[in-house]
Amino acid sequence: MGEAIKNRYEFVVLFDVENGNPNGDPDAGNMPRIDPESGLGIVTDVCLKRKIRNYIETVKEDEKGYKIYIKEDVPLNRSDREACTSVGVQETDEKKVTEALKKLKKNEPGTDEKLRDYMCSNFYDIRAFGAVMTTFVKAALNCGQVRGPVQIGFARSIDPVMSQEVTITRVAITTEKDAENKSTEMGRKSIVPYGLYRVEGYISANLARRVTGFSEDDLELLWEAIINMFEHDHSAARGKMAVRELIVFKHSKELGDCPAYKLFDAVEVIKKENVFYPRKYQDYVVKVHEEEIPDSVEVKRMI
Amino acid sequence: MARGVKIRVWGDFALFTRPEIKVERYSYDVMTPSAARGILEAIYWHPGMRWIIDKIYVNKPVRFTSVRRNEVKSKISASNVLKAYNGGDKPLYLCSKQEIVQRASAILTDVEYVIEAHFEMTQKANESDNPGKFKDIIMRRLRRGECFHMPYFGCREFPAHFALCEEDDIATAYDDVPEKDLGIMLYDMDYTDPGNIQPVFFQAVMRHGVLNLADCEVIR
């Protein structure tokens, strides 16, 4: 892994969904999330982070340094030997190690940092998004919290989305008893006929440098993961989802050159005239007003 | 008010969790002083200084919405490193299917505040540090939109945009409301004894849309 990133970044992602449910709302019977006041569709930050994690897991297959801590579909929460060796405890006699660790815990208040650094260097998701870890040192001030440099907000659709209930049937019946009485079962799917969503994100170079060591290589991988996050996530519920734009703003400095909102305001997504019910990406035009962006900020449309 | 600064912060959502309702999180009606301090510290902080919040102006009406999300319920257990070591080399991860829990959060939408604050010097300041220097750095960062990391309203998924506030007259959403008692609110955490960090509360009364925190009485 290389050095930590040296520039602050902001990014805008536009993604769309066609006849699918981008993010179900557990409060509303898994219908697509909708802001009740504006009717705009919502996709939570954690939903998108899940996709990014999944993509990295698929591509890197738990390669060293690119493990994913929060996984789907695997059983228990375990730790491994390497964490101990990395804090300077050799694996010889098991009892000895326990004692050595206890001693370490007492004498060396830096144990937590060592374990933290170990976690950061091994796990991509912790390096990018952070994590919360319990600590050995009682009343450690940050409570074992690692703030990652990558911060993502909620995604919102450009126009109000309509959620449509599709009733479906199936001929295979689950239980024998039901099979005696009926020959089909009804089910329901909630879909959004079309929605273009926009999400904004931030990457702090300072947190990368001081805490997690998120590097240039990691950043490249993040962009790749964002671009491809729906490509390996097809399912019956999702319909057709795709990332349409990834606009990256690279500041010339660690602290940044201008406020984030100015950059985000410069990205305008307009519904074309005489389109009343957007049903495809071509119904929208994306404009980046470069004149509103300071020259020192590098703008890159990655797709 | 040489050490004072006024900043305008706004965003789509906010969640200032009430400590008494924090599993299914429920936001306070307005920003807490500790959240305001967090925002300022995200922009600039140095061990040689300490932020003190004087006033919080509530510029938009208080409105709630709710989101329910799948969350994991456990932290990475450092002591598991010990245990699992003795149990053999198993891979280290957390299974989101097993550790999952659905939690609702009542969050604020469409918020805007003006934070009026000042800073005080602490013992840890270097000899070359002085209030003027800090003030210059802060003003420069605010004017250019620079920050250490993006500030947020309570949780990191709710980013807080910020700008220097230069007006003297700030129109709040509750200019016509002489007094509104918001009950007892979290003031901040008391970090004086690192072994025993305690929350500190205060009686929050919003007068004409302003929460005045200068010499407010704190309750433990």
Side-chain angles (χ1 to χ4, degrees):
Chain A
M1 256 169 297
E3 264 182 88
I5 50 166
K6 297 230 163 34
N7 305 80
R8 175 177 134 188
Y9 293 85
E10 257 96 42
F11 57 93
V12 176
V13 184
L14 295 176
F15 63 90
D16 65 351
V17 58
E18 215 178 294
N19 296 328
N21 182 357
N23 187 200
D25 186 348
D27 256 349
N30 215 33
M31 294 205 329
R33 288 184 193 273
I34 287 177
D35 174 352
E37 280 180 339
S38 60
L40 299 179
I42 287 178
V43 173
T44 59
D45 60 313
V46 279
C47 170
L48 298 171
K49 286 184 196 167
R50 175 81 265 154
K51 311 279 182 253
I52 294 172
R53 285 189 167 103
N54 286 353
Y55 176 80
I56 286 162
E57 208 183 341
T58 313
V59 171
K60 291 289 183 181
E61 292 178 329
D62 270 353
E63 193 183 298
K64 193 168 166 24
Y66 292 95
K67 288 186 191 160
I68 294 294
Y69 186 73
I70 301 179
K71 296 192 185 198
E72 280 174 316
D73 295 325
V74 279
L76 286 165
N77 174 15
R78 287 283 168 79
S79 311
D80 68 358
R81 251 164 231 269
E82 290 167 59
C84 294
T85 29
S86 77
V87 292
V89 179
Q90 292 304 316
E91 45 174 316
T92 41
D93 184 81
E94 287 203 351
K95 218 174 167 188
K96 232 182 184 170
V97 173
T98 316
E99 270 162 24
L101 262 179
K102 271 190 189 151
K103 213 169 139 193
L104 189 75
K105 201 161 106 181
K106 227 184 252 166
N107 301 341
E108 217 180 305
T111 315
D112 283 338
E113 275 89 66
K114 281 186 184 163
L115 284 177
R116 184 194 74 191
D117 291 345
Y118 166 78
M119 294 302 278
C120 285
S121 62
N122 274 276
F123 292 92
Y124 183 87
D125 55 340
I126 296 179
R127 211 154 59 232
F129 305 130
V132 184
M133 193 158 94
T134 59
T135 59
F136 279 127
V137 182
K138 215 182 156 220
L141 274 184
N142 63 1
C143 308
Q145 186 193 26
V146 178
R147 269 178 312 181
V150 183
Q151 185 180 350
I152 299 178
F154 278 14
R156 263 208 301 216
S157 63
I158 306 297
D159 285 301
V161 294
M162 191 195 55
S163 141
Q164 199 176 340
E165 286 274 293
V166 183
T167 309
I168 49 170
T169 61
R170 65 168 184 168
V171 289
I173 314 290
T174 320
T175 61
E176 295 252 350
K177 202 176 159 231
D178 282 353
E180 289 167 12
N181 306 323
K182 54 185 178 184
S183 57
T184 53
E185 270 186 350
M186 306 284 259
R188 283 201 297 181
K189 271 173 110 159
S190 295
I191 61 162
V192 171
Y194 184 80
L196 180 64
Y197 290 76
R198 169 182 176 141
V199 63
E200 291 159 1
Y202 315 82
I203 302 175
S204 156
N206 297 291
L207 289 178
R209 175 165 58 84
R210 296 203 193 181
V211 187
T212 73
F214 186 80
S215 69
E216 290 288 342
D217 291 348
D218 291 335
L219 187 71
E220 282 309 310
L221 186 61
L222 179 76
W223 301 142
E224 187 191 319
I226 290 175
I227 292 167
N228 295 304
M229 65 183 167
F230 299 116
E231 303 301 326
H232 303 276
D233 186 61
H234 296 299
S235 76
R238 299 273 171 266
K240 208 164 109 190
M241 291 188 76
V243 174
R244 296 296 189 156
E245 280 279 357
L246 167 59
I247 301 163
V248 175
F249 301 101
K250 181 182 181 183
H251 294 256
S252 68
K253 291 180 296 203
E254 224 176 39
L255 290 170
D257 300 314
C258 79
Y261 66 89
K262 284 206 173 148
L263 302 175
F264 294 143
D265 287 351
V267 177
E268 194 184 7
V269 184
I270 317 153
K271 191 165 67 177
K272 281 186 188 158
E273 256 178 74
N274 62 47
V275 171
F276 294 101
Y277 312 109
R279 285 293 181 269
K280 54 184 187 297
Y281 184 61
Q282 288 70 28
D283 290 341
Y284 287 97
V285 186
V286 179
K287 269 191 204 159
V288 181
H289 297 280
E290 304 233 2
E291 68 281 1
E292 290 169 23
I293 298 169
D295 293 336
S296 52
V297 177
E298 193 186 314
V299 188
K300 217 164 151 191
R301 287 171 89 151
M302 308 276 285
I303 298 184
Chain B
M1 285 288 282
R3 297 175 184 191
V5 62
K6 264 196 289 192
I7 71 163
R8 184 183 297 277
V9 287
W10 68 97
D12 290 337
F13 303 103
L15 173 50
F16 310 111
T17 310
R18 288 171 188 267
E20 67 273 26
I21 322 175
K22 66 178 185 185
V23 175
E24 297 239 303
R25 291 178 287 265
Y26 199 98
S27 179
Y28 277 119
D29 288 357
V30 301
M31 175 157 48
T32 60
S34 76
R37 178 178 59 85
I39 288 175
L40 290 166
E41 285 175 355
I43 298 165
Y44 183 70
W45 180 77
H46 184 279
M49 64 177 283
R50 181 172 65 225
W51 280 109
I52 292 155
I53 311 299
D54 300 318
K55 279 180 187 167
I56 294 173
Y57 297 76
V58 184
N59 291 4
K60 293 247 175 105
V62 175
R63 276 163 44 208
F64 279 90
T65 187
S66 93
V67 219
R68 184 178 291 272
R69 285 177 285 182
N70 289 322
E71 301 177 1
V72 290
K73 57 186 174 194
S74 51
K75 300 179 195 173
I76 302 172
S77 161
S79 65
N80 260 10
V81 176
L82 256 176
K83 251 190 242 161
Y85 178 82
N86 294 326
D89 54 343
K90 294 272 176 15
L92 178 68
Y93 47 69
L94 186 148
C95 172
S96 60
K97 281 245 166 80
Q98 288 196 351
E99 301 286 320
I100 207 164
V101 58
Q102 286 191 341
R103 285 186 187 145
S105 315
I107 62 176
L108 298 169
T109 65
D110 193 19
V111 294
E112 185 182 313
Y113 304 98
V114 169
I115 304 168
E116 202 176 301
H118 69 276
F119 61 86
E120 276 178 5
M121 304 297 282
T122 66
Q123 302 288 325
K124 288 184 182 155
N126 301 325
E127 274 180 26
S128 60
D129 289 337
N130 59 62
K133 177 179 158 187
F134 285 149
K135 172 93 180 179
D136 284 349
I137 298 174
I138 293 156
M139 295 311 273
R140 197 162 58 228
R141 288 202 180 178
L142 286 171
R143 290 218 170 86
R144 294 186 190 163
E146 299 176 340
C147 56
F148 180 79
H149 64 82
M150 191 66 190
Y152 47 90
F153 287 120
C155 296
R156 289 195 74 197
E157 57 268 40
F158 309 126
H161 294 298
F162 62 92
L164 183 68
C165 175
E166 283 171 302
E167 306 99 272
D168 287 325
D169 286 327
I170 297 154
T172 72
Y174 298 95
D175 275 344
D176 307 335
V177 183
E179 193 171 294
K180 192 177 178 208
D181 195 336
L182 300 171
I184 290 191
M185 261 174 77
L186 178 76
Y187 183 77
D188 209 331
M189 305 299 280
D190 179 3
Y191 296 96
T192 42
D193 175 10
N196 183 22
I197 299 164
Q198 290 285 328
V200 179
F201 297 88
F202 73 111
Q203 183 72 37
V205 182
M206 185 170 76
R207 292 189 177 88
H208 299 283
V210 183
L211 214 53
N212 196 339
L213 301 151
D215 60 41
C216 70
E217 191 187 352
V218 296
I219 311 157
R220 273 164 207 275

